[in-house]
Amino acid sequence: MTIQWFPGHMTKARRQIEEKLKLIDVVIELIDARIPLSSRNPMIDDILRGKPRLIVLNKSDLADAKETERWIAYFAAEGHRSIAVDSSTGTRVNEIPVLAKELLQHKIQRQIDKGINPRAVRGLIVGIPNVGKSTLINRLAGRNIAATGDRPGVTKGQQWIKVGTEMELLDTPGILWPKFEDQLVGYRLAMTGAIKEQVLNVEDVAFFAVKAIAGRYWPQMQERFGVEEPPKDLEDADEVVRVMEEIGRKRGCLVGGGRVDLEKASGIILRELRAGKLGRITLEAAQSEV
């Protein structure tokens, strides 16, 4: 299965971002801590044209804490400040305005030296669909001002939102890119809910998920689903399907003749992965493939 999803409003969103850049002091790039590279839009570097940037690894409560530390170190080596947060509970969210302001300290100091009273920092928040931008904005603003949802494509337009007295944020719709050169990226995005399920084959996505999780977090999969034996060979499709069928049997996904409804079982696997019911899982290791 080839995974692609680039609705027309995403082209419009890119154009709007480019038009607003002259007003922006700092960019807050929001990514998914479970798939830090796959959830970064490769077009962003070109779009942002060297603006100061803070990388925010959201949903860190769902990610492997040790892997998140490695990703923080990875981005530091690339020359980027980064922070891991959980926008759903507010963990470390209040540090974001402080770090964003630190990135502009030299510019702010020059204004002070010239006798200019610095205005509120203007930040642009960008990220792929369903990475938690609106939830983060609501946390920062201290009120429900941005529409939220557990599906991609909730935010449709742009709006300025005040964060205290020292920051204003420009919210934007999530933007994917026209073509995934690496289909593994598409599968990771599909697994974590960044792509609408209506355009996916859930069995293919769940197959990839079982491979990815069983290879690195088998004890967590075994505990959640009660599956007794891991795949003997992750490259053996029959072995991966065997695990999916066992999960289906454990959850009662049966049809005539005692056969397993793989589509139903696949939906369960993906929903529970996305909800964090398998524990803290990172699907992409720093500087290496899953």
Side-chain angles (χ1 to χ4, degrees):
M1 179 183 70
T2 299
I3 298 175
Q4 300 294 340
W5 186 53
F6 193 74
H9 78 268
M10 292 188 183
T11 301
K12 179 181 177 181
R14 171 176 177 160
R15 186 174 65 252
Q16 289 175 332
I17 288 173
E18 291 173 332
E19 291 171 353
K20 290 291 197 312
L21 267 182
K22 60 182 178 294
L23 305 175
I24 299 301
D25 301 310
V26 63
V27 174
I28 297 170
E29 181 186 1
L30 199 59
I31 62 177
D32 189 324
R34 297 167 296 178
I35 51 169
L37 279 190
S38 291
S39 58
R40 296 190 78 196
N41 189 330
M43 298 191 306
I44 289 295
D45 288 338
D46 178 53
I47 295 171
L48 300 183
R49 302 169 192 164
K51 287 281 184 180
R53 187 185 325 182
L54 175 66
I55 297 176
V56 177
L57 291 85
N58 195 28
K59 305 188 180 183
S60 62
D61 60 312
L62 301 177
D64 183 325
K66 290 183 179 179
E67 286 295 336
T68 298
E69 290 177 6
R70 295 187 182 102
W71 278 109
I72 294 289
Y74 170 87
F75 289 124
E78 294 287 309
H80 294 298
R81 292 289 298 274
S82 62
I83 181 174
V85 308
D86 173 18
S87 60
S88 62
T89 62
T91 302
R92 300 194 70 188
V93 165
N94 289 340
E95 297 177 42
I96 292 174
V98 177
L99 293 176
K101 200 169 181 179
E102 285 180 6
L103 290 174
L104 300 170
Q105 196 55 50
H106 293 302
K107 178 180 179 180
I108 292 171
Q109 189 58 52
R110 284 197 302 270
Q111 291 176 329
I112 293 173
D113 291 343
K114 293 178 181 179
I116 300 171
N117 187 27
R119 58 166 170 73
V121 170
R122 289 175 179 164
L124 171 70
I125 186 163
V126 297
I128 65 170
N130 205 31
V131 78
K133 295 187 306 301
S134 296
T135 301
L136 177 65
I137 285 173
N138 289 338
R139 281 283 176 186
L140 286 168
R143 60 194 188 281
N144 292 330
I145 196 167
T148 62
D150 61 354
R151 66 192 188 280
V154 174
T155 303
K156 298 297 185 183
Q158 296 180 324
Q159 58 179 328
W160 284 100
I161 297 166
K162 287 187 176 294
V163 178
T165 59
E166 296 189 340
M167 175 174 269
E168 295 177 350
L169 278 180
L170 180 62
D171 185 18
T172 62
I175 308 176
L176 284 175
W177 49 107
K179 183 178 181 182
F180 303 136
E181 298 296 338
D182 182 353
Q183 278 298 299
L184 291 180
V185 170
Y187 275 109
R188 291 183 187 122
L189 291 169
M191 287 164 58
T192 53
I195 301 174
K196 285 186 176 180
E197 286 201 351
Q198 292 93 320
V199 302
L200 301 173
N201 181 314
V202 292
E203 290 180 33
D204 283 351
V205 177
F207 178 92
F208 180 84
V210 169
K211 282 185 63 174
I213 299 167
R216 304 182 66 197
Y217 299 100
W218 175 254
Q220 292 171 219
M221 175 171 278
Q222 186 178 39
E223 180 179 354
R224 180 64 189 175
F225 295 119
V227 185
E228 296 179 5
E229 292 186 16
K232 295 180 177 64
D233 180 359
L234 288 172
E235 298 308 314
D236 184 338
D238 290 338
E239 278 292 292
V240 177
V241 171
R242 173 185 64 78
V243 172
M244 294 172 67
E245 289 179 338
E246 187 173 349
I247 291 171
R249 279 191 291 273
K250 295 281 186 180
R251 294 300 183 87
C253 304
L254 300 175
V255 291
R259 292 181 297 109
V260 174
D261 183 337
L262 267 183
E263 183 176 1
K264 187 175 180 180
S266 296
I268 289 172
I269 292 167
L270 294 176
R271 283 194 299 275
E272 300 204 358
L273 167 64
R274 293 167 185 165
K277 293 183 178 179
L278 277 72
R280 298 175 66 142
I281 288 174
T282 297
L283 299 165
E284 196 170 43
Q287 302 185 46
S288 66
E289 295 293 336
V290 168

